Amino acid sequence: MCLGVPGKIVEIHQANGLKMGKVDFGGVMREACLAYVPDAQVGDYTVIHVGFAISRLSEQEAQASLETLREMVNLEEEIEPEKIFGKSPPRQQVETGD
Amino acid sequence: MKYITEYRDAKLVHGVLEEIRRTVTRPWTLMEICGGQTHAIVRHGIDQLLPREVELVHGPGCPVCVTPLELIDKALAIASRPDVIFTSYGDMLRVPGSGRDLFSIRANGGDVRVVYSPLDAVKIAQQNPDKQVVFFAIGFETTAPANAMSVVQAKALGVKNFSILVSHVCVPPAMHAILSSSVNRVQGFLAAGHVNAVMGYWEYPPLAEKYHVPIVVTGFEPLDIAQGILVAVQMLEQGRVGVENAYARAVTRDGNLPAQQVIDQVFELCDRKWRGIGTIPLSGWRLRPAYAEFDAESRFDVSNIETNESPLCIAGQILQGLKKPHDCSAFGTLCTPEHPLGATMVSSEGACAAYYKYGRHMILEN
Ligand code: SF4
């Protein structure tokens, strides 16, 4: 929960007055809140904590961190924690792009 | 030894370790604050590769571990209610309360859902207007910006059936508590880099001055950790106190100002109980009166709860750097990740879980 996972911003939009974005975590896409990185742009790398971008970093650093994280934790669990309940997650819209 | 050789920067890490060996002349005890750092240290065997003089003790920076038992029992009571959808970070599911956990509540028909972001919990509330949706808002300064934003959003959108069960803890008061204890052994800190990414490190210089310790802002990759240790050892050997940033690529002195603003808008300081440690003055955040309507503790009457902690568990002493997991008689025998007796065995950021995962229960200490 505390580690934060680096991802690349691939799209930015507004939702309910908040700056949101689609973030690519090495292949897995998720929606994240970008309100705390007001000048972040599409293509930037950022560290996402529980669905919120907190700090920015370079592409190189992002790749290195992803690799370390992959060794340390079950990355899938960090990025898609709902899957902890197996193939039938409770009905909820947590997919990206809605 | 086994893991470090697999690491891509093994050479670099070894170079820094060699430099630590050259620098050190006396015994020093350092504490890494963050459970993620503990995990990386044990995973890569960094503690075993350090010169004998440098001892690492593991800090309280595991949000799941320090969330007080009373609050977990309250969460379980709320989650059992038929009118409630209880949402939480995945890490909290297996944390034992007094006898059960959120997983078993779900198995018994409770609507317990894991969310990725607290904003997802607000969305669930919008989609289920006939239910009460409660989010278990735990964590350190790293999750606070997200948790705070969930109530800002709920308020802005007029979502009335949403509330949060707050158990926020802050790092600097815990450092203060550890350093002021009469049994303290910690002579220097590796500060938790991601906490500093949010909060900066402007709060630390007075702490370093007051207790005459070096505090080094440190990342969580092996090389970052080795560098943090080197800087701390250099400062100790030279008799220097103060704050250094060994994680400058992610952390600035000021931290993330927009995030701090929203935290301050939503939360105010309060005394907070830490599991196994006790109450630390002004060490937590609670909702400000302006957001009191979103407080799950007042929305649901869960005041008379009796807690029951395993008498064997010494997690509190481990979290203060006084003991290590293998000092616990239950470690690896009565207490395992499948049957955890304490929270430090559940979370991937807990010291007991890290020691167990990397086979430390099978190694005899010498
Ligand atoms: S091994 Fe289990 S019982 Fe012992 S301190 Fe760790 S969590 Fe508590």
Side-chain angles (χ1 to χ4, degrees):
Chain A
M1 178 195 323
C2 272
L3 281 183
V5 182
K8 182 183 188 177
I9 302 171
V10 294
E11 190 193 297
I12 293 178
H13 59 269
Q14 296 279 325
N16 299 320
L18 279 184
K19 180 179 180 183
M20 303 292 291
K22 212 182 261 188
V23 175
D24 179 355
F25 297 100
V28 183
M29 297 281 186
R30 290 220 64 150
E31 175 145 289
C33 178
L34 306 179
Y36 297 131
V37 286
D39 20 298
Q41 318 240 319
V42 169
D44 286 352
Y45 285 82
T46 140
V47 180
I48 310 278
H49 288 261
V50 294
F52 284 70
I54 296 294
S55 47
R56 294 174 45 197
L57 71 179
S58 73
E59 177 172 0
Q60 255 177 329
E61 286 156 9
Q63 302 295 3
S65 306
L66 264 180
E67 247 171 77
T68 309
L69 277 172
R70 220 166 247 134
E71 292 171 14
M72 272 174 62
V73 296
N74 186 345
L75 248 198
E76 281 61 49
E77 244 171 56
E78 295 282 319
I79 299 170
E80 297 180 290
E82 303 92 345
K83 291 200 173 156
I84 198 164
F85 289 133
K87 286 267 177 281
S88 57
R91 195 170 49 83
Q92 52 176 283
Q93 269 162 18
V94 289
E95 301 309 323
T96 53
D98 56 353
Chain B
M1 201 57 138
K2 180 164 155 265
Y3 292 109
I4 201 92
T5 49
E6 295 167 6
Y7 185 60
R8 65 182 191 288
D9 280 332
K11 263 204 197 124
L12 280 174
V13 176
H14 275 287
V16 178
L17 288 169
E18 192 48 51
E19 188 59 32
I20 295 171
R21 243 169 257 134
R22 273 198 295 270
T23 309
V24 75
T25 64
R26 278 165 290 167
W28 300 111
T29 303
L30 301 176
M31 173 181 274
E32 84 277 359
I33 303 224
C34 157
Q37 291 167 336
T38 304
H39 191 104
I41 286 164
V42 180
R43 160 89 165 85
H44 295 277
I46 294 174
D47 52 338
Q48 294 170 330
L49 292 169
L50 284 171
R52 205 171 273 277
E53 290 88 345
V54 182
E55 188 191 354
L56 293 179
V57 292
H58 316 308
C62 162
V64 171
C65 304
V66 300
T67 300
L69 190 55
E70 290 86 333
L71 221 87
I72 293 176
D73 285 344
K74 278 183 190 174
L76 296 171
I78 295 172
S80 310
R81 296 172 59 117
D83 57 332
V84 163
I85 300 176
F86 195 86
T87 56
S88 164
Y89 297 128
D91 315 45
M92 291 307 287
L93 290 180
R94 286 213 181 278
V95 179
S98 303
R100 41 185 196 161
D101 57 25
L102 283 170
F103 232 100
S104 63
I105 302 277
R106 185 183 148 98
N108 288 316
D111 196 344
V112 177
R113 303 184 188 184
V114 170
V115 290
Y116 166 65
S117 155
L119 291 182
D120 293 337
V122 178
K123 223 180 268 178
I124 293 173
Q126 286 179 299
Q127 292 161 354
N128 296 274
D130 52 331
K131 293 272 190 180
Q132 284 290 330
V133 175
V134 182
F135 175 68
F136 202 177
I138 69 144
F140 280 92
E141 291 91 334
T142 47
T143 55
N147 295 350
M149 189 64 93
S150 74
V151 291
V152 171
Q153 268 303 86
K155 191 165 189 166
L157 300 172
V159 182
K160 301 274 183 225
N161 60 329
F162 176 76
S163 60
I164 64 177
L165 184 59
V166 187
S167 180
H168 261 293
V169 277
C170 310
V171 165
M175 293 165 74
H176 177 91
I178 287 165
L179 290 170
S180 60
S181 156
S182 58
V183 285
N184 169 52
R185 302 173 50 216
V186 176
Q187 295 164 294
F189 278 107
L190 309 181
H194 286 140
V195 166
N196 301 118
V198 177
M199 299 304 290
Y201 51 88
W202 50 271
E203 291 172 282
Y204 292 176
L207 210 60
E209 292 298 327
K210 179 165 183 195
Y211 295 102
H212 295 277
V213 290
I215 301 174
V216 183
V217 177
T218 304
F220 70 96
E221 293 180 47
L223 188 58
D224 292 323
I225 292 168
Q227 268 161 352
I229 296 170
L230 174 60
V231 173
V233 169
Q234 284 170 339
M235 292 174 81
L236 285 165
E237 289 285 343
Q238 295 162 6
R240 267 195 300 137
V241 300
V243 183
E244 296 264 342
N245 184 4
Y247 196 34
R249 64 194 161 87
V251 174
T252 60
R253 184 187 168 280
D254 290 342
N256 185 318
L257 294 175
Q260 290 171 37
Q261 247 161 35
V262 174
I263 292 173
D264 187 52
Q265 177 188 335
V266 171
F267 294 127
E268 62 187 11
L269 280 174
C270 65
D271 296 349
R272 175 74 67 201
K273 202 165 169 185
W274 297 50
R275 188 170 192 172
I277 298 177
T279 300
I280 303 177
L282 299 180
S283 66
W285 280 319
R286 65 173 175 220
L287 287 167
R288 285 191 186 276
Y291 291 92
E293 57 183 301
F294 296 101
D295 188 354
E297 271 189 271
S298 48
R299 193 172 294 197
F300 303 94
D301 181 22
V302 278
S303 44
N304 38 18
I305 272 177
E306 274 198 31
T307 58
N308 186 7
E309 185 84 82
S310 165
L312 295 172
C313 185
I314 58 162
Q317 294 176 64
I318 294 172
L319 292 164
Q320 294 170 82
L322 304 174
K323 294 245 166 91
K324 303 250 175 117
H326 44 246
D327 297 324
C328 172
S329 63
F331 175 67
T333 53
L334 289 171
C335 181
T336 61
E338 288 73 41
H339 298 283
L341 294 182
T344 39
M345 186 57 98
V346 179
S347 166
S348 60
E349 289 157 29
C352 297
Y355 271 55
Y356 189 88
K357 183 166 180 190
Y358 299 115
R360 293 287 174 90
H361 55 300
M362 295 179 292
I363 304 169
L364 284 176
E365 282 292 300
N366 47 21

